[in-house]
Amino acid sequence: MWAKKEMADYLLRQHRVLRPYNYPPDVPGRGWCIVNANGYRLAVLNLQGRTFMHPIDCPFRAADRALEEIGDQADAVVVEFHAEATSEKQALAMYLDGRVAAVVGTHTHVPTADERVLPGGTARLTDLGMCGPVVSVIGMDADTVIPKFMTALPSRFSVASGPVAVMGAIIEIHHATGKCHSISRIMEEYDDTIR
Ligand SMILES: [Fe+2]
């Protein structure tokens, strides 16, 4: 997101496009928003991990602060945790169990098989995967990625072609409690070639 300078203005205009809440305070954009779904107020909170990533503010403490800010403005809260390490993502889900409807991860582009409703009623899935070409290296053309591993030199990646998949999860939230009923992983594959 930060590679495109134009995004800074866009983030200020589009309240549903989030950046991680735990960036320093003067960074453009916002870390949570409320989506109104037929009168049901669903808060979406975006956080970023620190393990094997940019060292930014603690996502655990930031989650506490964000939940306090959101307070009773929302009926339920879904957390999207953009992080590399499965352990950090599972740890945040356990930390927030019972306080949010779901903690789902992104960033690796590879879906995990650990979807579960935790004891406190929070749905957890360490990584949702991606929407993109599946005969690839996390969505990129392998021919543009392999040289980077073999030479240790930077290279320009391009998006792969071939069959594409939509990955994610369907999460059922109990209306009154804001806790989760069920989570199921989805992966729908299509033969379309993207160009
Ligand atoms: Fe990422």
Side-chain angles (χ1 to χ4, degrees), residues 48 53 82-84 106-109:
Q48 186 167 303
M53 297 186 85
H82 196 76
E84 189 80 77
T106 56
H107 179 65
T108 70
H109 299 200

Side-chain angles (χ1 to χ4, degrees), residues 6-72:
E6 305 78 20
M7 277 304 288
D9 284 345
Y10 189 75
L11 283 171
L12 298 173
R13 290 200 309 273
Q14 298 294 332
H15 90 284
R16 285 167 64 148
V17 180
L18 304 175
R19 51 91 170 145
Y21 180 85
N22 51 328
Y23 265 93
D26 46 358
V27 168
R30 47 187 73 76
W32 62 268
C33 70
I34 308 253
V35 179
N36 193 315
N38 292 329
Y40 196 74
R41 302 165 305 162
L42 184 69
V44 181
L45 167 62
N46 178 229
L47 292 160
Q48 186 167 303
R50 296 193 289 187
T51 307
F52 312 128
M53 297 186 85
H54 255 358
I56 53 175
D57 292 350
C58 171
F60 294 77
R61 292 176 178 85
D64 289 337
R65 288 197 303 275
L67 292 180
E68 205 168 299
E69 260 176 46
I70 294 167
D72 58 10

